[in-house]
DNA sequence: AATGAATGAGCGTTCATTCAT
DNA sequence: TATGAATGAACGCTCATTCAT
């Protein structure tokens, strides 16, 4: 399922991706779904459940997801879920955490480089597309956006562990770039302005893709060209 | 650009705004809630319901909202809701439509003006902040973002009646501006890039406001300064 | 609707028949049904309601009938029903009574005649077919059969005012006929045996007519030929 | 003629009979009803539910029966019903099928015998009384009669699997008997005439038994004596 | 008398959670 | 550890009945 390029990654979350879409579990007459093979190995149970949960939560949203379906998709009994997760809320939150945690490591590194911003920005775009947009993490971020309000703990986690770090790193970097005149100072205060089109990409693909497909890569490229065109600065 | 008609607006949607968040209706021991309005006269019922529904849907999301709570908040009996709306889905959809409909009228006009884009953009920012961001419409758009996938009809409505028109108008306008060299041509293809920070504002305020407040007006101003700084163009 | 031959009858119940079948009131989009014209005249209200109730109860059974539909079909407001009938139960019971009452008058007369039983039986068949089977009274009797258990008062009324009288009259008559050797004495004890095929006719037409239509008149004729073939008697 | 296999019958349907009518479960203050069976072991659950459903449906009719009461009577939680039956409709239909299915097997055999019809008829009477009239199947057939119209599938099932077979077998048999002069030819065309008093018995016992008890066995005996008195034939 | 908006108890059904095995 | 049958609170929706007009 895409993500194939994420070579080095061996973290737990990696395992979560790669589950079959299997559209209409609900409609399946009876009996076990062609269950996830991972379900058999003791250690894999937890991951199988997370993978199944990802599928179901993405497809239907938090409230509409039935743990019965998650279990079926994971190839386990419903009660087994409760051996690994306290309840539905916890399952959801741990899923989101597990999927986003791997992002954290790579973030701090970013602030270190000192490439010219426009170059860096291009790498960032590439990273976003390959590691998020073409990945199951897109779904997770969409879930954060949709359900985050009901999970303040999660929103806080996401803000604290992901967003604030990304933005801090960006600010540090941008400040230096601005000092070199490579970048308008306004960006230092609002790094969100750099990330905004990524948010658009995720929201758009969830809601309007069918009415108006969006070439995300090109849009993002256009965006950084706009912001970081050589010879720019406020 | 209009939309200003919202000035003297006494229409239904107007009434919807301004209801108290009233956190935990659910926890209230018993008896009627100090109803938002007691829905005094017949015609007001429908609006009272919509207002209550907006509160509840915003606070809990579609699935988690109980019509019992909507009724209580509106100061009516549960069954009364069904005199005005076929079912929960319909209530939700009509709420969104009712809140967004007033936006539609003014949109087409926007393409007509021929002010310099940077000036126009400033007005647009002002309009967004005053008519959406500081308004209950912010909640409605957040609902669209969160629940839109479960209501394809609604997503389509929103795309067709709101977004596509806004973007069409913007494209027409930007094309002319680009021809005059006021604006980078890339924006003509991706008007989303102009709107992106507005989306950020709405999502951010729903999820992270409490951890990191965002000065939306300044962010938006910074954004258009970046894009439309005089002497810019690709 | 049939019943046209019931000339002399001017009783209230007469008016009840003759309502349009109007299959799917329920499905009708909105607005008033092409209401029964009788509804307009004050005095006719009660009858209009009974007529509508007959249609609805026959079509759906007691529990499944909605007073809303009865009102719509009668061309009146729902509340008006309660001006004429205490509640749904009462409406049902009065409907059955009103429809069956006219039968009572004619019954006593029957015992008086002293025609040969086979001749009398033929008249009886004819009476049943014309006044019941081809009439809305068929539906009423079916309702009695279906719902009677929940209305013991009604069952008792029906037994006391209709059945017991019919059977008493029959017994008196049969006794005389048996004395003349025209009829097996067993029939005196069980006049139900004479009426049984009529019950079959009503039940069959409600349940199996579509799979296997039944020529009721011929069946009844065959039956009395069997019982009263000249030269019969036990 | 068989059907006697019901002798050693320990199948599901057997178990269904024999539950207490238990008039007003509804009125019982609180707590569990002294459950009919507490549905001790897994396999018994389904039968316990069917038994409870039979009681409730018989007592109140389909629509008026509350699954809550069925559950209480079966000594289980309401939700448990849905582990065994898709919905209320299905429960009803499976109840009827389960109760009537055992009748089906023995029917075809009936046409084979070549006893004198009057003898055969007496056996049939005995069979009806013992296997239906004195059994919970009486209630099931009454339910068919009362609710059959709302369950066309069931009516068709009953007609196809039970009635048409019975009547076909009877016709074959009667035809031979008529050829031997034992029976009036009219019966070949209308076997319903033979069965009619059985229908009377069931309907009567449901509605009028308390006002006028009926000696069903004697009535049926009288009936076949009338039809098959030696030396009869049209 | 007549209306029809409003009520609220009631019911079928779902599903997170528990627990005996 | 794992199961999956069982539970029962919850919720959407209906509809007989009431009542202000």
């Amino acid at each position: 399922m895409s993500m194939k390029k994420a070579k080095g990654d061996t973290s737990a979350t990696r395992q979560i991706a790669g589950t079959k879409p299997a559209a209409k579990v609900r409609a399946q007459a009876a009996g076990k779904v062609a269950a996830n093979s991972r379900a058999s190995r003791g250690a894999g149970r937890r991951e199988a459940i997370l993978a199944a949960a990802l599928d179901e939560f993405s497809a239907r949203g938090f409230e509409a997801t039935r743990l019965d379906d998650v279990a079926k998709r994971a190839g386990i009994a419903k009660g087994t879920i409760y051996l690994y997760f306290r309840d539905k809320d916890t399952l959801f939150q741990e899923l989101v955490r597990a999927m986003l945690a791997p992002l954290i490591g790579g973030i701090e590194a970013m602030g270190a480089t000192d490439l010219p911003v426009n170059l860096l920005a291009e790498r960032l775009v590439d990273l976003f597309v390959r590691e998020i947009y073409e990945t199951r993490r897109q779904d997770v971020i969409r879930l954060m956006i949709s359900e985050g309000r009901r999970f303040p703990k999660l929103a806080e986690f996401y803000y604290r562990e992901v967003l604030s770090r990304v933005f801090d790193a960006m600010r540090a970097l941008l400040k230096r770039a601005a000092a070199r005149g490579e970048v308008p100072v306004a960006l230092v205060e609002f790094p969100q302005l750099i990330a905004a089109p990524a948010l658009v990409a995720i929201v758009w693909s969830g809601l309007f893709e069918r009415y108006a497909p969006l070439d995300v890569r090109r849009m993002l490229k256009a965006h950084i060209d706009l912001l970081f065109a050589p010879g720019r600065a406020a």
Side-chain angles (χ1 to χ4, degrees), chain A:
Chain A
M1 235 147 251
S2 65
M3 222 185 215
K4 29 204 152 168
K5 314 197 186 155
K7 280 171 202 161
D9 192 341
T10 53
S11 74
T13 20
R14 269 301 105 180
Q15 327 226 39
I16 290 175
T19 30
K20 289 168 280 174
K24 279 272 168 174
V25 179
R26 216 143 180 170
Q28 298 204 359
K32 309 282 172 157
V33 169
N36 240 322
S37 54
R38 285 190 209 73
S40 35
R41 278 309 108 238
R45 283 286 210 276
R46 195 186 147 86
E47 270 64 44
I49 295 170
L50 285 171
L54 173 56
D55 286 346
E56 295 291 328
F57 283 137
S58 303
R60 303 186 219 298
F62 177 78
E63 295 267 7
T65 288
R66 309 204 270 111
L67 290 192
D68 240 329
D69 289 340
V70 173
K72 235 174 248 154
R73 187 182 285 268
I76 58 167
K78 182 161 46 161
T80 305
I81 294 176
Y82 288 84
L83 297 177
Y84 295 92
F85 304 92
R86 187 189 338 288
D87 55 20
K88 196 184 175 189
D89 276 45
T90 306
L91 170 58
F92 182 79
Q93 305 206 36
E94 299 210 5
L95 168 65
V96 175
R97 277 169 209 256
M99 288 291 284
L100 298 183
L103 292 181
I104 298 176
I107 291 173
E108 252 82 34
M110 211 182 66
T113 13
D114 244 333
L115 297 173
V117 261
N118 56 347
L119 242 182
L120 194 61
E122 273 180 40
R123 291 209 188 162
L124 207 59
V125 164
D126 194 57
L127 198 68
F128 168 77
V129 172
R130 285 203 347 268
E131 289 298 320
I132 295 179
Y133 189 73
E134 292 178 342
T135 276
R136 292 311 230 103
R137 275 195 266 268
Q138 187 199 167
D139 298 303
V140 173
I141 291 177
R142 211 191 335 268
L143 279 171
M144 266 290 333
I145 295 168
S146 297
E147 321 279 358
R149 272 191 123 192
R150 243 170 327 203
F151 296 95
K153 291 271 251 321
L154 208 53
E156 200 207 331
F157 161 82
Y158 183 58
Y159 175 73
R160 187 162 32 78
E161 301 296 328
V162 182
L163 283 190
S164 74
R165 298 192 189 193
V166 171
F167 288 156
D168 283 352
M170 288 174 84
R171 268 195 206 93
L173 204 125
L174 289 164
K175 195 176 284 183
R176 293 198 300 277
R180 293 195 304 265
E182 288 176 33
V183 137
V185 278
L187 286 184
V188 179
E189 192 182 2
F190 295 113
Q192 288 95 338
L193 293 178
I194 298 181
L199 181 62
V200 167
I202 289 175
V203 170
W204 191 278
S205 84
L207 296 179
F208 313 120
E209 196 65 33
R210 71 184 91 183
Y211 313 120
L214 188 62
D215 185 332
V216 167
R217 222 180 248 278
R218 286 195 59 229
M219 180 179 72
L220 297 180
K221 182 63 163 57
H223 182 237
I224 60 171
D225 285 349
L226 245 57
L227 295 187
F228 307 120
R232 277 234 82 216

